[in-house]
Amino acid sequence: MATTGSTGGSPATAVNLRDKTLRTCLCNVFANLHLSPMVMGAIVKTESQDKEDHETYRMYLDRLRTNKNEPTFSNTELKKEFGYNSESLKKERNPDMLDLTAIFCLLSHILTKVKKYDSVMLEVLFSKLSDVKDMRNKVLHNLDQLLNEKNFTDLTTTLFDLIEEAKRFYSSSLGPEVLYFPAEDTKQKLSDEITKLEDLDKSDIHYYISRLVMSGKPAVSKLWGTRLHCEILLLNNDKVHRQKVFHALDVMVKTSDSNEILSYTKIFEAPENVVVVAGAAGAGKTTLVKNIVLQFFDPQQRSADHLSSFNQLVFFECRDRSTEKLSDVIDKHYEDLCSELGKENVLKALLRIDVLFIIDGFDEVNKNSAKVVNGRMQA
């Protein structure tokens, strides 16, 4: 969600902006998770001025189709068009509650498939929208980029340029209706929000996220790297390095049209928030997920395309009978950070960034682990 402000709880304490590394990370997190959605959300509001307050964006898109005597979206078609962002469009009514990727998908659809503006006029605006989206992906998926001061300057400059281009676009649009884009108000709001960075306190969600992305991955790597690094072979009890004996699996992807055999890495291209890998006992499901965990933390494999879009990883085994809440799983992964910030705040931060949740052993689920799984599905 593109919201800002305190998460409540403990008294506010000013962030120490003299810590240059933390300050740079915080600025980039704030810019990409708050400023960018705010500006692009203003364009969504301009394009959907006729949307009723009670309508979700899925309802709004369906109404636009009905007005043109076209069939409404089926769930399958909606998912094909918007991928995992389709779930957000089904329930949200305000762009302030959408993240940047959902906003970009929504705008792309409206601009190119609903309104169908002149391609020459649209080209520059769409290019600047893409620049903002690409900056988000570049920065949030790479810690080195998060710690680069220039990225904050580049993004804020691009956002002001985007506002100017939107002003030009809507003032000269030859569409069926003249839409008003509040360029000056949006620029002023952007300037005001940038100024707020100086006064952010340690109860702000962006501070939690910044701390998480800076220190979270090493903590989880230490937790699972030692536990999963080696395995005992069943035939001769030899202890081997797990990744050295791992053979990549193929999986059968079942669709309404066909059953296709693909590399397991294609799982990560599915337009779903949740993917279930099923198979007979001994087929290699647990071996697969444990190797994915190790790949995530392996510097030589971390840049692999199928893992590059995730900032953090959380791994849970359903045979665990001692853990009852998702927040306790988070505490196990980020113990020091949870002690300092509070495990509920770390969980809130995780839910705002791109996290790969891996749950192993659904066939071993018990009363307690079921609560954890349900907690993740409802988060």
Side-chain angles (χ1 to χ4, degrees):
M1 296 183 295
T3 56
T4 186
S6 170
T7 61
S10 58
T13 304
V15 175
N16 179 14
L17 291 181
R18 289 176 295 180
D19 183 333
K20 184 177 179 180
T21 302
L22 176 59
R23 179 186 64 197
T24 301
C25 183
L26 179 59
C27 286
N28 279 318
V29 166
F30 186 81
N32 282 279
L33 293 185
H34 176 58
L35 300 182
S36 293
M38 181 187 74
V39 173
M40 287 177 61
I43 301 176
V44 169
K45 291 178 181 178
T46 296
E47 280 294 343
S48 57
Q49 289 179 11
D50 59 336
K51 189 180 84 66
E52 301 291 340
D53 290 342
H54 72 276
E55 288 181 313
T56 65
Y57 281 101
R58 194 254 176 88
M59 293 167 62
Y60 174 63
L61 294 175
D62 281 343
R63 178 163 63 81
L64 293 180
R65 283 190 157 202
T66 300
N67 291 344
K68 297 166 66 175
N69 295 317
E70 297 176 355
T72 59
F73 276 105
S74 67
N75 287 334
T76 300
E77 186 182 6
L78 190 75
K79 190 165 292 183
K80 184 176 180 180
E81 178 69 22
F82 297 102
Y84 60 84
N85 294 299
S86 61
E87 295 302 316
S88 298
L89 300 181
K90 288 180 183 179
K91 63 182 182 180
E92 300 300 348
R93 297 171 172 82
N94 190 314
D96 295 342
M97 304 303 292
L98 297 173
D99 68 15
L100 189 69
T101 54
I103 292 174
F104 181 80
C105 287
L106 179 60
L107 272 176
S108 298
H109 180 80
I110 292 176
L111 292 171
T112 62
K113 297 185 179 181
V114 177
K115 300 295 181 68
K116 298 181 180 179
Y117 288 103
D118 178 81
S119 59
V120 176
M121 292 183 59
L122 182 59
E123 182 178 3
V124 178
L125 177 64
F126 196 80
S127 175
K128 291 190 179 298
L129 290 169
S130 298
D131 287 344
V132 173
K133 184 259 298 181
D134 292 343
M135 285 184 179
R136 184 258 187 212
N137 292 339
K138 180 185 79 170
V139 171
L140 292 185
H141 297 161
N142 188 319
L143 182 58
D144 290 338
Q145 296 296 332
L146 269 171
L147 303 182
N148 186 335
E149 290 180 284
K150 184 175 181 295
N151 286 324
F152 176 76
T153 303
D154 289 348
L155 178 54
T156 51
T157 299
T158 300
L159 290 173
F160 280 111
D161 289 345
L162 173 58
I163 295 171
E164 280 298 315
E165 180 55 32
K167 177 182 178 181
R168 184 200 68 80
F169 177 80
Y170 288 109
S171 64
S172 60
S173 173
L174 299 178
E177 57 182 323
V178 177
L179 299 177
Y180 170 70
F181 176 70
E184 298 308 315
D185 289 346
T186 305
K187 282 194 287 187
Q188 185 60 56
K189 186 175 182 181
L190 177 57
S191 297
D192 292 343
E193 292 299 307
I194 292 173
T195 302
K196 286 182 181 180
L197 267 171
E198 296 298 326
D199 299 318
L200 283 186
D201 59 59
K202 291 185 178 181
S203 64
D204 188 278
I205 184 63
H206 301 97
Y207 173 74
Y208 298 146
I209 294 171
S210 299
R211 293 295 311 281
L212 175 64
V213 297
M214 287 178 63
S215 61
K217 187 178 173 184
V220 180
S221 177
K222 183 178 180 180
L223 171 68
W224 290 114
T226 302
R227 298 187 185 190
L228 302 181
H229 182 66
C230 295
E231 67 174 314
I232 305 297
L233 297 180
L234 294 178
L235 293 179
N236 51 18
N237 284 332
D238 284 347
K239 187 175 183 179
V240 297
H241 293 298
R242 187 182 299 275
Q243 286 184 281
K244 290 184 178 180
V245 297
F246 173 63
H247 296 281
L249 303 179
D250 290 331
V251 295
M252 177 181 290
V253 179
K254 294 187 176 182
T255 67
S256 57
D257 300 325
S258 64
N259 295 334
E260 190 174 2
I261 304 297
L262 300 171
S263 166
Y264 76 92
T265 60
K266 296 297 181 180
I267 293 172
F268 298 92
E269 298 177 12
E272 310 281 352
N273 280 325
V274 178
V275 175
V276 177
V277 178
K285 302 182 297 297
T286 294
T287 298
L288 172 63
V289 297
K290 287 182 177 179
N291 274 280
I292 291 173
V293 173
L294 291 173
Q295 288 171 16
F296 185 84
F297 297 110
D298 186 340
Q300 295 181 339
Q301 299 191 55
R302 178 64 183 93
S303 60
D305 288 343
H306 64 288
L307 297 175
S308 61
S309 62
F310 299 103
N311 185 280
Q312 299 288 318
L313 180 145
V314 174
F315 181 49
F316 178 66
E317 297 172 295
C318 284
R319 66 170 177 265
D320 184 341
R321 295 182 177 275
S322 62
T323 307
E324 297 185 22
K325 295 189 297 184
L326 179 59
S327 59
D328 292 334
V329 176
I330 303 308
D331 191 21
K332 175 181 177 181
H333 282 68
Y334 306 97
E335 184 176 0
D336 291 342
L337 206 56
C338 287
S339 296
E340 180 183 348
L341 304 179
K343 57 186 177 183
E344 295 294 342
N345 290 327
V346 175
L347 176 57
K348 290 176 183 177
L350 280 168
L351 295 177
R352 287 289 305 277
I353 60 177
D354 300 309
V355 181
L356 176 59
F357 282 88
I358 297 181
I359 301 174
D360 180 42
F362 276 105
D363 55 337
E364 299 179 85
V365 71
N366 55 71
K367 182 179 179 181
N368 287 340
S369 61
K371 295 178 183 178
V372 174
V373 175
N374 290 333
R376 173 62 194 102
M377 299 306 175
Q378 297 169 8

